[in-house]
Amino acid sequence: MSHCHSNHLSTLPNWTPKDIREPQLENELKECCGRVFIDSAPEFCIPETSTINLKHVDVILISNYQSMLALPYITERTEFKGIVFATDPTLQIAKQFMEEMVKYIERTPKARQASLWKKSSVYKHIPLAFNVDTNQNSKPFLWQQIYSTKELNNSLSKVKVIGFAEQIDIFGSLQAQALSAGYCIGSCNWVITSNHEKIVYLSNSSTLTTHPKPMDHIPLRNADVLVLNNLSQTPHVNPDSMLGEFCVNIGKALQMGGNVLVPCYSSGVIYDLFECLALH
C-alpha cells in the first residue's frame, strides 16, 4: 500500500472476502476508499521460466535497459550459466535503475509478508486495485521479492558489453549484431545469421527524430525470419512537436531567470531529455 510508514495507513480497517474462511487473511488485506490493497512487502512479476529449462540456454541478448531489470532473477535464481550481451549504455542505465529500486525498497523494510491472498480460490474474489489475472505469467504465486544488492552485482558482472554493429561469434555457429533501435539510449535490435539463414529480432523501436541515435533499419532487410517483440499504432500526437514545445518553454523560463522542474524517473528517459535540452 505504501512504502513509507504512515499511521493513517497502518490503522486502515482490515478486509475479508465473503464466504472464504481464512482467519489470518484479514491481516493481509486493507480497505481504503472502497478499494482493497495488500499489506505486504513489494513483489515483482518475474519472466516466465516454467516452460524453459534455463540451464540449456546459452545466450541472452538484451535489447534495452527496460528488458534487463529482471536479469538477476534469471542469472542468480535459476540454473542459467550462459552469456549475456548488452550495449554499454543499456548496462549502465539498467544498473543505475536497478540500484535505485533495490535501495528504495531496502531502506524501509516491511516485516509483513502476505501469502494467503495468493491462492487462486482467494484472489479471484478480492476487488484489488490492480489486475492480476491478465495472463498466466501474472499469477501472484509466481511473484518474488526484490533481489538483493549482492545478487544485482553478481548478475551485472556476467554481462558482456558489445558495441553497435559489432560482430559477435556464438560458438562458431552463429553471428549476432546489435543495431540501433532509436527507442532509447543504448537500445538495439538484433540480427542473427548462420551460413544459410538471417533472423531479425525487432524489439522496441522508433523512427522519430527526437532520439539521440536513429534507428538502423537497412541491415534488417531481407530477413528469412522476423521476430517482433511488439507493435503499436502511430501516436495521435507527434512526440517530436511535443518535445519541441517542451524545449521552447524551458528556454523561455531559463531566459527569465527561472528554474525548471521536470517530474520523471531519475534514470532512463531523463538521459534522452539531456540530449534534447543540452542547447538550452
Side-chain angles (χ1 to χ4, degrees), residues 2-3 11 28 34 72 81 94 113 125 128 154 166 169 179 195 200 205-206 222-223 231 247 253 256 269 278:
S2 171
H3 208 54
T11 56
E28 297 185 353
K81 302 298 180 183
Q113 181 60 35
H125 297 85
L128 295 171
N154 288 341
E166 177 183 345
D169 180 76
L179 303 170
N195 292 332
V200 171
S205 304
S206 175
N222 301 318
L231 292 173
C247 292
M256 294 186 294
V269 71

Side-chain angles (χ1 to χ4, degrees), residues 54 66 70 88 92 104 114 134 166 175 191 207 223 228 234 250:
L54 286 168
Q66 294 174 331
D88 188 54
Q92 297 304 326
Y104 171 72
T134 54
E166 177 183 345
Q175 297 286 327
V191 174
T207 58
L228 296 175
T234 302
I250 285 181

Side-chain angles (χ1 to χ4, degrees), residues 167-272:
Q167 287 281 359
I168 306 169
D169 180 76
I170 301 179
F171 307 117
S173 300
L174 300 171
Q175 297 286 327
Q177 274 186 310
L179 303 170
S180 175
Y183 174 69
C184 62
I185 295 179
S187 65
C188 63
N189 294 313
W190 293 91
V191 174
I192 305 169
T193 56
S194 67
N195 292 332
H196 306 287
E197 293 87 16
K198 177 179 179 179
I199 301 172
V200 171
Y201 177 77
L202 197 63
S203 182
N204 294 334
S205 304
S206 175
T207 58
L208 298 175
T209 59
T210 48
H211 295 284
K213 191 174 181 63
M215 178 181 177
D216 190 0
H217 57 83
I218 295 178
L220 305 179
R221 298 174 180 176
N222 301 318
D224 297 295
V225 177
L226 175 63
V227 182
L228 296 175
N229 175 281
N230 59 31
L231 292 173
S232 63
Q233 295 180 338
T234 302
H236 297 293
V237 180
N238 190 341
D240 287 1
S241 60
M242 294 171 64
L243 189 57
E245 183 180 355
F246 175 71
C247 292
V248 168
N249 288 327
I250 285 181
K252 291 180 179 178
L254 296 177
Q255 287 176 0
M256 294 186 294
N259 297 308
V260 179
L261 300 178
V262 182
C264 63
Y265 289 113
S266 53
S267 298
V269 71
I270 184 65
Y271 299 114
D272 294 273

Side-chain angles (χ1 to χ4, degrees), residues 40-105:
S40 179
E43 294 185 340
F44 298 83
C45 179
I46 66 172
E48 173 62 49
T49 59
S50 62
T51 59
I52 304 173
N53 192 336
L54 286 168
K55 72 178 181 181
H56 295 153
V57 175
D58 299 310
V59 177
I60 292 179
L61 306 176
I62 304 293
S63 298
N64 57 68
Y65 77 91
Q66 294 174 331
S67 58
M68 191 173 173
L69 303 182
L71 186 63
Y73 291 117
I74 295 176
T75 62
E76 308 307 307
R77 299 188 183 182
T78 72
E79 296 182 274
F80 173 77
K81 302 298 180 183
I83 306 173
V84 182
F85 290 104
T87 64
D88 188 54
T90 292
L91 174 61
Q92 297 304 326
I93 296 176
K95 179 177 183 293
Q96 184 175 3
F97 207 107
M98 289 189 281
E99 285 177 344
E100 291 176 350
M101 184 168 57
V102 171
K103 290 178 181 179
Y104 171 72
I105 294 177

